[in-house]
Amino acid sequence: IMYLTTSMGQTLAVSGWPYLRTIDPEVSVSFLGSVQALTRFGNAIGSCLFAIHAYTTKTFKKALIIGRIISVVGCAFYICIELFVPTSRRWAYMIKFVLQSVAEGSLIVVRSYVPRMSQEVDRPRAFSIIEGANMLAIVSGPLVQLACNYALPAEGTPVLGEWLKFNMYTVPIWISLTLNCITLYISIFHFEEPELKDLEGESQLPLGEAMRKAWQQIKKLDKWLVSFCFIEKSIASFGFAAMYTTMSPYVTETFNVGEERSLKILSVGQSVAGCISLLTVAFFVFSPLSRVTKARFLFPFALSCYLLMYLVSFPWPAISEEIPLRDNGQVAEGFSLIITNP
């Protein structure tokens, strides 16, 4: 479930912006930033609602099913995006990704399912498998887009009038819809709920009573540990949000290439990054590292990698040069366009 759900977003994460630029040429880069901000907000809202539901009802299946249904509705907006007038297509694009982010909030149920169904001795490995599925999706999602890029034309042949086409931009949404249906099937027929009798000291509670109990449990937690985990998660989420927001416009605006070639660059780049992450997780899962290494050492190491990324990518004068921006009015192939007032 984790793999399939994450694959849906990763399949469209690369192609979304180039596709929007082809069907709505007037859209600005700042609009993409607004979409990313709203998707993060939607994911936070969805995570809170699904977490509250799982905590009060002690069930997981309903949240997963509701999340998939929301995602299917989002796919419908994306499939029908060219039914809208060109200046309104950006709003259908926004609705799709906001709905998808809310639906992905249901993945918090999968993460809370792990400690319910694992023992303390193998819990780090269980969580690593979940993250490995996430990394595998980061690899396979762009590879699907890359395959579509090479196998399908940019324009495509209209199927229903002019609004439904099968091309390198639209086929991934049909793949995403198919993955949604498969995940929905697994969630309904093959996902096993833990028995309440197996959950020591747990029972279904009314919302108010459940929240009071949760607050009492939170107050007993190590405040320094909670603060550290919150900061670590915030840094990681900010890093991903920053890269997803800036990389697509960065490639299309500074490399002086069209949407089709920029799609190849982004797909290959993200696939390579995903492979490195997947190898890291695999090493952690299949080696004794998960049992002998303490989290207090792994967290600082991971955070130092983020710090290194920002230090290396900062435009230090000694290793930097001005980049000629692409003229939005034309696409240059093989030469650069210098904008006097970027």
Side-chain angles (χ1 to χ4, degrees):
I1 290 173
M2 175 66 78
Y3 168 72
L4 292 173
T5 303
T6 308
S7 294
M8 300 171 205
Q10 296 300 326
T11 302
L12 298 176
V14 175
S15 62
W17 174 249
Y19 178 47
L20 184 60
R21 289 292 299 268
T22 62
I23 60 175
D24 187 359
E26 300 299 321
V27 67
S28 64
V29 175
S30 60
F31 180 80
L32 179 63
S34 301
V35 172
Q36 288 290 345
L38 284 173
T39 56
R40 291 293 165 177
F41 180 74
N43 185 257
I45 296 297
S47 297
C48 289
L49 293 177
F50 287 121
I52 291 172
H53 177 271
Y55 184 79
T56 54
T57 63
K58 310 302 177 187
T59 60
F60 301 87
K61 179 180 290 190
K62 288 181 181 178
L64 293 174
I65 294 173
I66 293 171
R68 292 308 92 222
I69 293 174
I70 294 174
S71 185
V72 167
V73 174
C75 289
F77 271 96
Y78 203 87
I79 290 171
C80 300
I81 194 170
E82 293 195 42
L83 278 176
F84 296 84
V85 296
T87 54
S88 297
R89 289 169 181 171
R90 65 189 69 178
W91 305 114
Y93 175 91
M94 174 183 284
I95 292 172
K96 187 270 178 268
F97 281 97
V98 170
L99 289 176
Q100 176 182 301
S101 67
V102 174
E104 288 179 354
S106 63
L107 290 182
I108 196 172
V109 171
V110 178
R111 292 187 175 93
S112 62
Y113 184 76
V114 171
R116 299 289 192 189
M117 308 298 285
S118 63
Q119 298 178 349
E120 187 174 353
V121 65
D122 56 7
R123 193 159 296 153
R125 182 173 296 183
F127 274 111
S128 298
I129 292 172
I130 292 294
E131 291 306 316
N134 188 36
M135 294 300 107
L136 186 61
I138 291 177
V139 176
S140 59
L143 287 179
V144 168
Q145 181 58 64
L146 194 62
C148 293
N149 191 283
Y150 281 104
L152 299 168
E155 290 296 329
T157 304
V159 179
L160 294 176
E162 291 294 325
W163 67 273
L164 183 60
K165 304 172 185 175
F166 287 104
N167 56 38
M168 56 187 283
Y169 298 113
T170 58
V171 166
I173 187 60
W174 290 99
I175 295 175
S176 179
L177 181 62
T178 303
L179 295 178
N180 253 313
C181 295
I182 295 173
T183 311
L184 187 60
Y185 171 80
I186 294 173
S187 300
I188 295 173
F189 297 106
H190 297 284
F191 186 84
E192 295 184 8
E193 292 275 19
E195 297 290 340
L196 277 176
K197 62 181 180 180
D198 297 331
L199 303 178
E200 185 177 350
E202 299 285 353
S203 59
Q204 294 184 352
L205 298 171
L207 179 60
E209 186 177 346
M211 292 298 98
R212 285 193 294 271
K213 181 180 179 181
W215 177 245
Q216 294 301 320
Q217 292 174 336
I218 290 172
K219 290 195 295 184
K220 296 178 182 179
L221 296 176
D222 187 330
K223 294 181 176 57
W224 287 107
L225 178 61
V226 172
S227 300
F228 180 81
C229 291
F230 176 78
I231 293 172
E232 186 275 335
K233 182 65 175 177
S234 298
I235 293 173
S237 299
F238 179 82
F240 277 112
M243 286 185 285
Y244 276 123
T245 304
T246 58
M247 285 309 298
S248 290
Y250 184 84
V251 170
T252 56
E253 301 301 321
T254 63
F255 284 15
N256 287 321
V257 296
E259 277 69 23
E260 183 176 354
R261 190 177 174 191
S262 68
L263 201 54
K264 293 179 182 178
I265 295 171
L266 291 167
S267 298
V268 171
Q270 189 168 333
S271 297
V272 171
C275 286
I276 295 173
S277 301
L278 186 61
L279 289 174
T280 304
V281 173
F283 177 73
F284 187 81
V285 172
F286 297 109
S287 72
L289 194 65
S290 62
R291 295 191 297 271
V292 301
T293 307
K294 295 183 178 180
R296 67 175 64 189
F297 301 122
L298 289 176
F299 275 141
F301 173 75
L303 293 176
S304 67
C305 292
Y306 272 104
L307 179 62
L308 182 63
M309 178 192 71
Y310 287 116
L311 289 175
V312 171
S313 62
F314 187 82
W316 303 103
I319 60 173
S320 302
E321 60 181 347
E322 291 187 4
I323 299 176
L325 296 179
R326 170 189 173 191
D327 188 341
N328 288 332
Q330 57 182 311
V331 177
E333 296 287 354
F335 63 91
S336 296
L337 296 176
I338 305 297
I339 298 179
T340 58
N341 186 22

Short mmCIF file of all heavy atoms in Angstrom, two decimals, residues 138-148 267 271 275:
data_model
loop_
_atom_site.label_atom_id
_atom_site.label_comp_id
_atom_site.label_asym_id
_atom_site.label_seq_id
_atom_site.Cartn_x
_atom_site.Cartn_y
_atom_site.Cartn_z
N ILE A 138 9.98 6.35 -5.36
CA ILE A 138 10.69 7.52 -5.87
C ILE A 138 11.51 7.14 -7.10
O ILE A 138 11.71 7.96 -8.01
CB ILE A 138 11.58 8.11 -4.77
CG1 ILE A 138 10.71 8.72 -3.67
CG2 ILE A 138 12.54 9.16 -5.32
CD1 ILE A 138 11.49 9.28 -2.51
N VAL A 139 11.97 5.88 -7.16
CA VAL A 139 12.72 5.41 -8.33
C VAL A 139 11.77 5.06 -9.48
O VAL A 139 11.94 5.52 -10.61
CB VAL A 139 13.57 4.18 -7.97
CG1 VAL A 139 14.27 3.63 -9.22
CG2 VAL A 139 14.59 4.53 -6.91
N SER A 140 10.77 4.23 -9.19
CA SER A 140 9.93 3.69 -10.27
C SER A 140 9.00 4.74 -10.86
O SER A 140 8.68 4.68 -12.06
CB SER A 140 9.11 2.51 -9.74
OG SER A 140 8.28 2.91 -8.66
N GLY A 141 8.55 5.72 -10.04
CA GLY A 141 7.66 6.75 -10.57
C GLY A 141 8.27 7.51 -11.74
O GLY A 141 7.69 7.56 -12.84
N PRO A 142 9.47 8.10 -11.56
CA PRO A 142 10.11 8.79 -12.69
C PRO A 142 10.47 7.86 -13.84
O PRO A 142 10.49 8.28 -15.00
CB PRO A 142 11.37 9.39 -12.05
CG PRO A 142 11.04 9.53 -10.62
CD PRO A 142 10.16 8.36 -10.29
N LEU A 143 10.78 6.58 -13.54
CA LEU A 143 11.09 5.64 -14.62
C LEU A 143 9.88 5.40 -15.50
O LEU A 143 10.00 5.25 -16.72
CB LEU A 143 11.60 4.32 -14.03
CG LEU A 143 13.01 4.33 -13.45
CD1 LEU A 143 13.36 2.97 -12.87
CD2 LEU A 143 14.04 4.75 -14.49
N VAL A 144 8.68 5.35 -14.89
CA VAL A 144 7.45 5.23 -15.67
C VAL A 144 7.30 6.44 -16.59
O VAL A 144 6.98 6.31 -17.78
CB VAL A 144 6.23 5.11 -14.73
CG1 VAL A 144 4.93 5.27 -15.51
CG2 VAL A 144 6.24 3.77 -14.01
N GLN A 145 7.55 7.62 -16.03
CA GLN A 145 7.46 8.83 -16.84
C GLN A 145 8.50 8.84 -17.95
O GLN A 145 8.25 9.27 -19.07
CB GLN A 145 7.63 10.06 -15.96
CG GLN A 145 7.53 11.38 -16.70
CD GLN A 145 6.20 11.54 -17.42
OE1 GLN A 145 5.16 11.59 -16.81
NE2 GLN A 145 6.25 11.60 -18.74
N LEU A 146 9.71 8.35 -17.64
CA LEU A 146 10.78 8.30 -18.63
C LEU A 146 10.40 7.35 -19.77
O LEU A 146 10.64 7.65 -20.95
CB LEU A 146 12.08 7.85 -17.97
CG LEU A 146 13.37 8.04 -18.78
CD1 LEU A 146 13.61 9.51 -19.09
CD2 LEU A 146 14.56 7.44 -18.03
N ALA A 147 9.79 6.20 -19.43
CA ALA A 147 9.35 5.26 -20.45
C ALA A 147 8.28 5.89 -21.34
O ALA A 147 8.30 5.73 -22.57
CB ALA A 147 8.82 3.99 -19.79
N CYS A 148 7.34 6.61 -20.73
CA CYS A 148 6.31 7.32 -21.51
C CYS A 148 6.94 8.37 -22.41
O CYS A 148 6.49 8.60 -23.53
CB CYS A 148 5.30 7.96 -20.57
SG CYS A 148 4.28 6.79 -19.64
N SER A 267 13.31 13.28 -14.98
CA SER A 267 13.05 11.87 -14.72
C SER A 267 14.33 11.12 -14.40
O SER A 267 14.39 10.34 -13.44
CB SER A 267 12.37 11.23 -15.94
OG SER A 267 11.13 11.84 -16.21
N SER A 271 15.33 9.60 -10.70
CA SER A 271 15.54 8.16 -10.63
C SER A 271 16.88 7.82 -10.01
O SER A 271 17.00 6.91 -9.18
CB SER A 271 15.44 7.53 -12.03
OG SER A 271 14.15 7.72 -12.58
N CYS A 275 17.52 5.81 -6.53
CA CYS A 275 18.35 4.60 -6.44
C CYS A 275 19.34 4.71 -5.28
O CYS A 275 19.55 3.73 -4.54
CB CYS A 275 19.10 4.38 -7.75
SG CYS A 275 18.07 3.79 -9.11
#
